[in-house]
Each structure stands twice: as structure tokens, then as C-alpha cells.
């Protein structure tokens, strides 16, 4: 599902997502839904002008490579897409840098904010803290790195 | 619009408002009617799940992503019952003597601040965590500092029954953090102070606050508001604004009755911060245990403070510079990551200020001064040295290009981490210590006097971090409590006369 804000620029959004988080290239349709639902939820809290700017920025990204790469962004390979995004990230224009920073942040939120993804990274924070680790058979804290005069 | 009558209205329930509520609460038994207004919701303990995606929207203004005017920094502001005292890590330091002296506020002495801080340290159960509860992320910081001959100091914390969830910044799921939501506000409510949540203060009028109580959105966390949704005019003999640096400044700026106060919105500082990350060869305990146990104070020498920290996957991803395969490789190393938070001790400058837009919403203008850029770069170099001294195999240094520095290049840090790579809009910079906007000072220079009385507006006081005439160099919450305690003392004295 590509929801309201992203709908007209869905292909570009996914192409940018697969560029900034290469693992997303392997996402199943349902996993894309989860990612995009998270992004849409965040966008729904933002002003209308910001949502419009995001769509405009994605359109610029889509058509910018026509000049340099003779193809639209969403049809380029990963290396070419990375090169374009890196150029935008280092643009002398603050507006462009900000735009890319904001877009990547949204994608990170939609992807890394998911509990399933966090689990795959090995992130194991638990409300029970040390007790949860002890239940898993681990020591409270390892002392290996601590100098004796601590 | 319904009108209600109170004697004292307190705007905000964080370090300033919560303290104010408790300090004034004994007056309720003498017939003084006190009301606290909080913009955010009141959450019950079971609602603090520790889930990153779940909590950010419930706890923070703009989900934690409030942007400065040019979009180069995000500001974190807690927006719930208890304010930012719910979402910070509980570090409890007394303001340095030299900082209070250099504020040059007539009538404000460091000894007075310190004495009041000690009172709240006792009230909030501030103590040092036993070392057996410290995790590897913190111990490695200590180790790295130790090997470099630097003196890392342990943070005193305001926790009681900490289980080491590591989830402080998402609100403690075990109610262990002694914020105003756990200590001062319940005490004030027991004594008869009323607290109304989901209440936005639209503007101040002469001896009154015009507010809008919002209904609980469907599916949102938190309780229903205590009053029926709608607009109210609340008359009061005294209004105390404790809505934080940005909130109080914006409220006074959008209220015709105070908008003309000279200096309003000026002197904004925020300790701009960057999260630095390093990878070790082995897994370390980083996502269990209190996240912030040590700090290295280089404020006087080099204008920065380093603190241990540990953030959640999305916040970590956001704060790493760049994207693509290198970024992903760092993220998949999560169990091996060590983190340091760099805080620049910025100084008040004219261009950094708070204004409001046409709708009355706060706009924060912030430019990274050359001094702040230098401090951030120096702090990154020192952090990288600490990481490598602690055994890290590579370091992510935002003001380097490329950002990843391997151990074999550790001897070249001064050549790799450069001010020219400090590029706002490319780097992720955030701030949570928001200060200034209604600075204390002498008449003609300050917005308020040293007791928070707004010059020219005798029914209005301020009692939050907006009072700071300049930055503090440490976490501000205890100093805010001390100042709120002073302001409350002044109100009590006025009532006795």
C-alpha cells in the first residue's frame, strides 16, 4: 500500500529507500506497507506545506538524473542512485541538503522504528533490564573492559 | 467561552511547573486556589512500553523532531504530565559556581542555588548507581578516558529502583525516574492543587490565561482531559509561566499583553549535541543498564562536555551521518556499538533567538557560531581518541569525510576530523537543553528579575529554563528546580504581606 502523501511519488520513494537502506530491496509487499504506514503516520503530524515540499523534492530526485544519467532515478541501479543521493547530500545549497536529510530520516524511522527490524539488528532492550538478561542466562555486567582502579 | 477563577495559574508541569506546584501547594490549605495547565497528556505507568515507535509521539513535541528555522537542528521537548523530567536520563548536577557568577544577575548567588539544588536532590533520591549495575558502554568510556589520563566522573542520578531498562529517554517503564510526575506533582495534587492536562494556553491576557482543552485523539495514549474540551478564560491574581524556554518565550511573544517586553525571545542557547558511535570487535552490553553513567567535563578548557549515552535504533540511524551500505553495516553492528554524546557549551548571541510565526507557533532561530563549530570538532576528536583507547576498531565521526575512521588511522585524527566537514544540513545535530528567551537580569537588560518577576507585568512570573541568561554547561533540570523554588518563595512572601 502506498498511502496518501506518497501515492503520487511511490516509485521514487521506494527507490530512495532502497538506496539509503539497501536491505529494503528485499522487503516483501507487506513489509513495505508497514514502512510506508509509519512514514505516512509521521507525515500526518506535519504541516501541509512540508508534505507538499516532500512530494516536490521526490519529483526533483526522480527527474534530475535525466540530465546526468539519461534515466529516471527509480530506473537506475544502486550505484548510480547512491552517487546522486551523495551529490544531494553535499550540495552547496542548504535547502537541498536539508531535503535529503529529512527524507532519509523519514525512511530510517519507517524502517528502523519497526520492532521486527530492531530485533534483527540485535537490539534487545527490555523493560525488565538486567533481570531480563539474567533470565536469559547472562551476567549482570561484564568486567572485562574495566581497569582495576575503577 | 467559560470563565473560571483561580488565585495562581502555573503554565507547564515539568521541572519548573512541577516544582512550583509542590512549593505553593501548602497555600491551598489557606484557601489559595492553584491550577497547573499541561499541554500534553497524563500517561499511566503501564503506557510506558519502551517501544521507540510507540512512545515518541506521546512524549515529545513534534515527535521529538521540532526543527529550528533553517532546519539544521532538532529540538527535543517533553510534552506530557511531568514535561521533560519524564524523558531525560535523570542526571542531577549542581550548576557550576563560575556559570552563575558569569550570568551577572543581581541578587542571584551560587550558594542559594546550590542549597536549593541539594534540597531537591534529597527529595528526588539522587545518588550514584552501584558500579555493578553499570554496563560495558559506560565502562568503556571510563576505560578510554583512564587510559588517556582523563578524569571521567560519575553522574548522580534521580532514580529509585532502577532496573536498567536503558529506556530512560522513552519514559521509564518501571516508574524509577523521580521526575516531577512521580514526586512533586502527586504531592501537590494530594494537597489540593488542580492539574489540567491536554490544555494549550492560547494567550495571556491581563491577569488571565485563555486556554483550549483538547479532547483525547482516538487511539492516543494517556487519560482523557480533566476538563471538558473547549475554550476557557481562567482569571488569576498571579500567572507563572513554566512552559520551558521555547514554550514560555512563545507564549509571551504571542500575547499582546506581554509581546512588547524588551529582550523577549533573546539569549537562546541549547548545548547543541551530536551522537558519536564506535564499533568494537565483540558484543558489549549497551542496550541494558542505565545509559548515562559518566561524563567528561571540558567546558572550561574547550567548550564541550562528553557524556555516555545509548540510543534506540531509529535515533541511532538518524544520527549517523550518511546512508547506504556503510551506514547499514554500522547499524547491523548494533550489539557492538559504543556511544558518546557530545555537548557544545554555546553562548548567547543576538542571532540565536525565539520568535513566533503568524499563527503564534514558536520559531527557533539558531546559527552554529564559529566557537560552537570548533568545540564540536574538538569534542569529536577527543571522543574518537577515547573510543580507540577503549579498544574500538572503527569510529563514526560526523565532521570527517568519509565519516568512518578505522583503527589504523587513529594517529591521524587531527587531519581527518576537520571543521570544514562540519556541514549543517548534512550532519544530524540535536538539542535537549533548551535555555533562555526570558533571561534574568537588571532592569533594562533582563526580561525578569532574579525572582522571575517580569518587568512591567506585576501579575506575571517565569520559572523555567527560559530564565537562564546564558547556557549552563550541564543538564539544566536541577537548576530549573532551584530557580522555581526561589520564584515560589517570592510568591509565598507576597501572599504573606
Amino acid at each position: 500500500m502506498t498511502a496518501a502523501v506518497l501515492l503520487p511519488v511511490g516509485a521514487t520513494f521506494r527507490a530512495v529507500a532502497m538506496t539509503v537502506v539497501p536491505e529494503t530491496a528485499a522487503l516483501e509487499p507487506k513489509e513495505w506497507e508497514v514502512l510506508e504506514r509509519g512514514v505516512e503516520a509521521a507525515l500526518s503530524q506535519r504541516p501541509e506545506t512540508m508534505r507538499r515540499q516532500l512530494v516536490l523534492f521526490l519529483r526533483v530526485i526522480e527527474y534530475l538524473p535525466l540530465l546526468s544519467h539519461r534515466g529516471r532515478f527509480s530506473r537506475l541501479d544502486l550505484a548510480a542512485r547512491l552517487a546522486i543521493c551523495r551529490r544531494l547530500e553535499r550540495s552547496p545549497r542548504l535547502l537541498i541538503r536539508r531535503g535529503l536529510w529529512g527524507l532519509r530520516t523519514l525512511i530510517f524511522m519507517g524502517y528502523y522504528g519497526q520492532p521486527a527490524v530492531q530485533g534483527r539488528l540485535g537490539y534487545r532492550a527490555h523493560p525488565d533490564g538486567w533481570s531480563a538478561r539474567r533470565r536469559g542466562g547472562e551476567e549482570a555486567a561484564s568486567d572485562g573492559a574495566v581497569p582495576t582502579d575503577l | 467561552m467559560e470563565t473560571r477563577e483561580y488565585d495562581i495559574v502555573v503554565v507547564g508541569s515539568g521541572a519548573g511547573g512541577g516544582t512550583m506546584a509542590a512549593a505553593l501547594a501548602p497555600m491551598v490549605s489557606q484557601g489559595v486556589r492553584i491550577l497547573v495547565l499541561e499541554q500534553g497528556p497524563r500517561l499511566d505507568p503501564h503506557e510506558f512500553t519502551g517501544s521507540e515507535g510507540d512512545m515518541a509521539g506521546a512524549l515529545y513535541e513534534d515527535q521529538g523532531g521540532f526543527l529550528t528555522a533553517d532546519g539544521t537542528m532538532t529540538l527535543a521537548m517533553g510534552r506530557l504530565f511531568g514535561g521533560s523530567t519524564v524523558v531525560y536520563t535523570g542526571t542531577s548536577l549542581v550548576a557550576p559556581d563560575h556559570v552563575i557568577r558569569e550570568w551577572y544577575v543581581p541578587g542571584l548567588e551560587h550558594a542559594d542555588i546550590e542549597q536549593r539544588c541539594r534540597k531537591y536532590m534529597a527529595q528526588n533520591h539522587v545518588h550514584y548507581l552501584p558500579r555493578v549495575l553499570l554496563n560495558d558502554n559506560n565502562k568503556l568510556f571510563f576505560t578510554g578516558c583512564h587510559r588517556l589520563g582523563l578524569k571521567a566522573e560519575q553522574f548522580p542520578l534521580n532514580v529509585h529502583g532502577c532496573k536498567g531498562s536503558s529506556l530512560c529517554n522513552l519514559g521509564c517503564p518501571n516508574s524509577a525516574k523521580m521526575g516531577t510526575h512521580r514526586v512533586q506533582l502527586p504531592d501537590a495534587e494530594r494537597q489540593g492543587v488542580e492539574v489540567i492536562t491536554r490544555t494549550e494556553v492560547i494567550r495571556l491576557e491581563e491577569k488571565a490565561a485563555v486556554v483550549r482543552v483538547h479532547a483525547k485523539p482516538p487511539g492516543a495514549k494517556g487519560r482523557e482531559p480533566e476538563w471538558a474540551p473547549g475554550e476557557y478564560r481562567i482569571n488569576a491574581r498571579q500567572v507563572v509561566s513554566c512552559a520551558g524556554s521555547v514554550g514560555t518565550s512563545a507564549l509571551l511573544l504571542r500575547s499582546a499583553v506581554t509581546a512588547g517586553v524588551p529582550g523577549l525571545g533573546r539569549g537562546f542557547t541549547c548545548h547543541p549535541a551530536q551522537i558519536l558511535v564506535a564499533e568494537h570487535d565483540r558484543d558489549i552490553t549497551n542496550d541494558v543498564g542505565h545509559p548515562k553513567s559518566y561524563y567528561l567535563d571540558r567546558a572550561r578548557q574547550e567548550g564541550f562536555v562528553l557524556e555516555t549515552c545509548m540510543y534506540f535504533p531509529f535515533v541511532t540511524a538518524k544520527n549517523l551521518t550518511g546512508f547506504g551500505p556503510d551506514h547499514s553495516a554500522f547499524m547491523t553492528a548494533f550489539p557492538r556499538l559504543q556511544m558518546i554524546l557530545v555537548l557544545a557549551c554555546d553562548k548567547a548571541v543576538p542571532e540565536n533567538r525565539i520568535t513566533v510565526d503568524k499563527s503564534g507557533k514558536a520559531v527557533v532561530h539558531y546559527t552554529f557560531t564559529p566557537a560552537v563549530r570548533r568545540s564540536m570538532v574538538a569534542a569529536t576528536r577527543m571522543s574518537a581518541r577515547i573510543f580507540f583507547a577503549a579498544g574500538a576498531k572503527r569510529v563514526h565521526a560526523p565532521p570527517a569525510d568519509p565519516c568512518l575512521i578505522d583503527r589504523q588511522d587513529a594517529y591521524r585524527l587531527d587531519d581527518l576530523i576537520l571543521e570544514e566537514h562540519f556541514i549543517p544540513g548534512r550532519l544530524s545535530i540535536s538539542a535537549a537543553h533548551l535555555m533562555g528567551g526570558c533571561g534574568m537580569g537588571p532592569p533594562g537588560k533582563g526580561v525578569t528579575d532574579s525572582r522571575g518577576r517580569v518587568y512591567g507585568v506585576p501579575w506575571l512570573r517565569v520559572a523555567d529554563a527560559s530564565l537562564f541568561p546564558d547556557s549552563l554547561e550541564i543538564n539544566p533540570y536541577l537548576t530549573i528546580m532551584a530557580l522555581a523554588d526561589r520564584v515560589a518563595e517570592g510568591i509565598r512572601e507576597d501572599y504573606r504581606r
Side-chain angles (χ1 to χ4, degrees):
Chain A
M1 181 203 73
T2 303
V5 179
L6 299 177
L7 189 60
V9 285
T12 315
F13 176 80
R14 289 191 179 189
V16 176
M18 289 185 278
T19 310
V20 302
V21 184
E23 291 91 330
T24 58
L27 291 184
E28 298 291 334
K30 283 199 169 175
E31 293 172 311
W32 274 114
E33 270 185 40
V34 175
L35 188 156
E36 287 166 351
R37 203 182 306 131
V39 172
E40 289 285 357
L43 288 172
S44 70
Q45 307 293 315
R46 296 288 171 167
E48 177 60 32
T49 49
M50 190 177 281
R51 294 198 287 267
R52 278 202 301 267
Q53 285 167 355
L54 175 72
V55 171
L56 178 65
F57 188 62
L58 282 163
R59 287 195 200 285
V60 170
I61 290 176
E62 179 68 7
Y63 294 107
L64 192 68
L66 284 174
L67 300 170
S68 54
H69 292 73
R70 297 178 186 279
R72 291 161 58 165
F73 184 87
S74 57
R75 294 176 189 172
L76 299 177
D77 63 20
L78 177 62
R81 295 198 311 265
L82 269 171
I84 290 161
C85 286
R86 286 192 176 128
R87 217 169 63 218
L88 297 174
E89 187 200 23
R90 287 151 205 269
S91 167
R93 299 176 75 95
L94 174 61
L95 194 66
I96 303 291
R97 295 199 302 275
R98 265 178 53 180
L100 191 80
W101 183 89
L103 183 53
R104 76 186 257 290
T105 297
L106 276 172
I107 292 163
F108 289 156
M109 191 193 63
Y111 183 70
Y112 290 114
Q114 295 177 42
V117 172
Q118 296 186 344
R120 285 203 291 274
L121 294 176
Y123 175 72
R124 297 185 300 154
H126 189 283
D128 288 345
W130 291 116
S131 303
R133 294 294 162 94
R134 282 192 208 101
R135 285 200 296 272
E138 293 177 47
E139 293 297 315
S142 69
D143 277 335
V146 189
T148 51
D149 59 344
L150 179 64
Chain B
M1 188 192 309
E2 193 177 327
T3 299
R4 298 199 176 183
E5 306 288 336
Y6 284 84
D7 294 298
I8 302 170
V9 167
V10 179
V11 182
S13 69
T19 302
M20 181 63 57
L24 297 180
M27 296 167 72
V28 175
S29 64
Q30 297 149 30
V32 179
R33 297 159 301 173
I34 303 171
L35 178 70
V36 177
L37 306 170
E38 168 53 51
Q39 189 173 6
R42 183 194 300 247
L43 269 62
D44 286 311
H46 73 274
E47 294 182 284
F48 293 93
T49 61
S51 163
E52 192 178 15
D54 198 26
M55 296 308 300
L59 303 177
Y60 291 97
E61 180 83 24
D62 282 354
Q63 299 176 295
F66 184 99
L67 283 163
T68 51
D70 71 357
T72 58
M73 181 163 60
T74 52
L75 306 179
M77 293 176 258
R79 199 190 60 184
L80 73 163
F81 180 81
S84 292
T85 70
V86 182
V87 293
Y88 83 119
T89 46
T91 59
S92 304
L93 295 173
V94 178
D97 179 38
H98 72 90
V99 169
I100 302 300
R101 257 189 289 116
E102 288 164 13
W103 279 0
Y104 302 114
V105 177
L108 186 69
E109 299 292 336
H110 180 262
D112 181 61
I113 296 288
E114 182 171 15
Q115 179 209 331
R116 292 173 200 270
C117 284
R118 300 280 170 213
K119 178 172 107 180
Y120 287 101
M121 287 170 86
Q123 204 172 93
N124 296 346
H125 200 260
V126 172
H127 67 293
Y128 292 102
L129 275 189
R131 283 174 182 148
V132 69
L133 292 179
L134 306 186
N135 65 16
D136 291 341
N137 184 50
N138 283 288
K139 289 176 175 180
L140 286 166
F141 179 80
F142 183 92
T143 301
C145 289
H146 180 80
R147 288 179 180 159
L148 293 173
L150 301 166
K151 190 177 181 322
E153 295 174 81
Q154 192 175 354
F155 274 118
L157 303 171
N158 70 352
V159 293
H160 189 55
C162 175
K163 292 184 177 180
S165 74
S166 82
L167 300 165
C168 307
N169 294 125
L170 298 176
C172 181
N174 303 305
S175 302
K177 195 186 314 171
M178 297 293 106
T180 58
H181 64 307
R182 294 275 297 135
V183 183
Q184 286 79 23
L185 290 166
D187 177 42
E189 288 187 298
R190 275 192 297 272
Q191 296 183 65
V193 172
E194 284 183 63
V195 183
I196 309 300
T197 57
R198 301 189 188 277
T199 303
E200 173 190 6
V201 182
I202 300 166
R203 64 181 178 276
L204 299 177
E205 294 181 351
E206 185 75 21
K207 293 190 176 182
V210 176
V211 309
R212 184 178 296 125
V213 177
H214 292 273
K216 177 183 173 180
K221 283 182 181 288
R223 296 186 198 170
E224 297 284 347
E226 291 77 358
W227 287 3
E231 286 198 12
Y232 297 82
R233 179 188 164 87
I234 304 167
N235 294 325
R237 290 167 61 186
Q238 183 73 53
V239 176
V240 191
S241 188
C242 310
S245 166
V246 175
T248 287
S249 301
L251 173 61
L252 269 59
L253 282 162
R254 67 173 172 261
S255 301
V257 71
T258 47
V261 173
L264 203 51
R266 301 276 169 181
F268 176 78
T269 57
C270 61
H271 297 158
Q274 275 193 300
I275 297 167
L276 305 185
V277 185
E279 183 184 352
H280 286 264
D281 288 317
R282 61 183 178 91
D283 287 3
I284 62 170
T285 48
N286 57 14
D287 53 5
V288 61
H290 191 277
K292 198 177 285 289
S293 298
Y294 289 109
Y295 68 101
L296 178 69
D297 186 353
R298 304 291 291 180
R300 290 292 267 175
Q301 301 92 331
E302 295 171 276
F304 65 80
V305 175
L306 305 182
E307 299 180 351
T308 49
C309 69
M310 190 66 204
Y311 291 97
F312 324 104
F314 159 55
V315 174
T316 303
K318 180 188 120 177
N319 281 283
L320 292 172
T321 302
F323 46 79
D326 287 347
H327 184 282
S328 286
F330 233 77
M331 287 302 294
T332 52
F334 207 89
R336 299 190 295 278
L337 298 184
Q338 183 192 350
M339 294 191 195
I340 296 176
L341 184 71
V342 162
L343 298 162
C345 301
D346 53 345
K347 291 288 173 194
V349 294
E351 56 267 37
N352 293 344
R353 67 192 196 284
I354 299 157
T355 61
V356 287
D357 64 16
K358 282 179 193 163
S359 68
K361 189 172 170 9
V363 180
V364 178
H365 305 265
Y366 195 89
T367 304
F368 301 99
T369 63
V372 164
R373 289 167 185 254
R374 276 196 300 277
S375 292
M376 296 291 249
V377 168
T380 305
R381 287 175 181 162
M382 182 164 284
S383 300
R385 287 191 183 95
I386 292 167
F387 281 136
F388 284 126
K393 70 173 184 179
R394 58 180 180 154
V395 167
H396 179 275
D401 195 5
C403 295
L404 295 181
I405 301 174
D406 289 324
R407 186 156 42 200
Q408 67 259 28
D409 291 320
Y411 71 97
R412 296 201 299 138
L413 294 176
D414 287 353
D415 299 327
L416 298 172
I417 300 170
L418 298 169
E419 217 176 306
E420 69 193 61
H421 301 314
F422 184 94
I423 303 171
R426 178 173 177 244
L427 310 185
S428 286
I429 303 169
S430 56
H433 299 173
L434 314 182
M435 301 166 279
C438 303
M440 297 174 288
K445 194 171 177 212
V447 171
T448 81
D449 67 10
S450 72
R451 295 274 177 175
R453 285 179 283 237
V454 177
Y455 290 120
V457 191
W459 51 270
L460 178 62
R461 283 173 163 92
V462 172
D464 58 25
S466 66
L467 290 172
F468 296 8
D470 211 329
S471 80
L472 193 66
E473 301 181 2
I474 58 162
N475 178 294
Y477 106 94
L478 213 46
T479 308
I480 298 169
M481 295 186 102
L483 289 175
D485 194 61
R486 275 173 63 85
V487 177
E489 188 176 78
I491 294 172
R492 290 195 305 268
E493 284 169 5
D494 281 359
Y495 265 80
R496 276 199 290 271
R497 283 189 197 118

